[in-house]
Amino acid sequence: MLGALRRPFPPTIRQLLVPGFSAQKQSAQTQLEVCGWVKSVRRQKNVSFAVVSDGSSSRGLQAVFSKDTIPNGLTNGCSVKLRGQLVESPGTRQEKEFRVETAEIVGECDPDASYHTHRCTFFANKYPIQKQSLTVDYLRDQCHFRARADKIGEMLRIRDCLSRAVHAYFEKEGFMSVHTPIITSSDCEGAGEAFSVSSDDTSNASESKDDTSDEAARHFFRKEAYLTVSSQLHLEALATARSRVYTLAPCFRAERSQTNRHLAEFWMLEAEWAFTQSVEDLCVVVEDVVKNAVIAAIAQEGHEDSELNFRVHATFMLGHPWLRMSYTDAVEKLRIAHAAHPQLFVFAPEWGKGLQSEHEKWLAKEVGGPVFVTDYPMALKPFYMRLNADGQTAACFDLLVPGVGELAGGSLREERLDMLDKAMERHNLLGQEEYGWYMDLRKFGGAPHGGFGLGFERLVSAVSGQPNVRECIAMPRWAGRMLL
């Protein structure tokens, strides 16, 4: 039997600041250890104060130094290791403070020092993350430091919380977490926006005897390869064996859009499960997983961000079921609004055309909360979506959220082999070797199934209040820019 596990880490600042962590738990002889980075320093004649953060909380811990314990080199941005006692604070701005008994500067932060590598020398006029307000563009230029900024730090904590909540939800519902390929042989969405993958080294390409053509020899895998734009097709294969599967994984899209909703590298929450036969089933799961994740974020971060609770409740209408609306009804609503106010939309709404971002945001705002728009025209959707009985629309949905627009999309998948044949023929995919396995899934023990994909950065944006998804991921990439 295992004995008590040794605690390898000192408590985080978040753990120290929770009401349940009391100074009474410490004996007079026991020192606590606090590690982190100094956010500000205030010196007085006999005592000095520093706010220390380790990233676990938006609230820093006030450290109190006597003349004898304050170390040389205590500056904004330096990393420290402090030992001392957590005590009740006599001040009104914080309930607890840390009375320092010994202090060590682990990493200096000289604002005027140059630093060098084996190649060159760099000069920094000052530590980039100062106490004053910093613009979004400035922080992007300081991407390697921007996680130390308050807003980005809060976003990262919310992102972590949402991720944990998503995994907890699917585990509770009996789903298996799986890892799908990053490199694929197909463009799942068929939009032609995939990044090609190639290798500069073709020295061993002709060693295979089964195909010695020059065209095949050019490719590392002896065929075209791409960075994935979606895990859906691979999830379908796994769902036919494991019933319920999901992944939270990176996706890539070579789209040159410069809007606040698009990244070249982003993360998608995708789930697929067998034996489901209605779009309503899909909508229920999406509504549940999003609400569960959002509630978890409120529970973790709500006491640190006074606006989070109001913002999230106003966006996600947590106490109410989300509306369902057909594409046909949505277009009719848009047409009536456009007829009454011709300047309302840049793009006139019309049945048979895709909904623009302005249409999606207007619908969500008009409804006053999230809305599932279902049954889009089949001509607008990929080949794998199931055709409805009307012969015109797909058994699908998009989830529209106020301030964000489209957050998630999903569908029943076409499990009828003859109908899938026709759909692939319409998209000029029939007979292509890379989709042969996809057809086999229907031939051998196929079952009705469906699933969805949710843009994780867009969810982070809606919860954190960051209007641009470039501030909803640690190191963003978009057309013309790759930070770090």
Side-chain angles (χ1 to χ4, degrees), residues 1-150:
M1 241 180 111
L2 290 175
L5 295 177
R6 179 178 64 87
R7 182 182 177 88
F9 300 109
T12 66
I13 288 175
R14 174 185 283 271
Q15 292 168 334
L16 290 176
L17 292 178
V18 296
F21 194 100
S22 171
Q24 295 175 356
K25 294 182 179 180
Q26 309 167 70
S27 67
Q29 293 78 29
T30 302
Q31 285 186 328
L32 287 175
E33 182 177 281
V34 170
C35 300
W37 291 264
V38 174
K39 298 186 69 174
S40 64
V41 179
R42 181 165 52 94
R43 289 180 170 85
Q44 296 180 357
K45 184 176 181 181
N46 296 316
V47 68
S48 296
F49 303 91
V51 175
V52 179
S53 172
D54 62 1
S56 63
S57 170
S58 63
R59 297 176 295 166
L61 177 64
Q62 178 169 277
V64 183
F65 301 85
S66 67
K67 289 192 297 183
D68 297 328
T69 60
I70 187 167
N72 293 326
L74 186 71
T75 61
N76 184 22
C78 72
S79 59
V80 295
K81 181 181 289 186
L82 310 176
R83 292 182 177 86
Q85 300 290 324
L86 187 69
V87 299
E88 300 299 322
S89 175
T92 58
R93 294 185 177 181
Q94 62 280 320
E95 295 180 1
K96 302 174 183 178
E97 61 186 24
F98 194 75
R99 187 175 297 154
V100 179
E101 296 172 358
T102 63
E104 176 187 354
I105 302 296
V106 178
E108 295 182 350
C109 185
D110 187 341
D112 299 316
S114 63
Y115 60 98
H116 66 278
T117 69
H118 67 285
R119 291 185 178 180
C120 53
T121 299
F122 302 90
F123 294 92
N125 293 325
K126 62 180 181 179
Y127 172 54
I129 307 301
Q130 298 295 327
K131 195 174 180 180
Q132 68 267 27
S133 177
L134 303 171
T135 67
V136 167
D137 288 335
Y138 175 82
L139 286 173
R140 288 176 186 168
D141 290 337
Q142 303 292 334
C143 188
H144 52 308
F145 280 123
R146 76 173 190 161
R148 299 189 190 184
D150 289 342

Side-chain angles (χ1 to χ4, degrees), residues 11 13 128 171 244 357 362 427 445 482:
I13 288 175
E171 181 181 9
R244 305 173 196 173
S357 176
W362 183 88
H427 287 81
M482 184 169 71

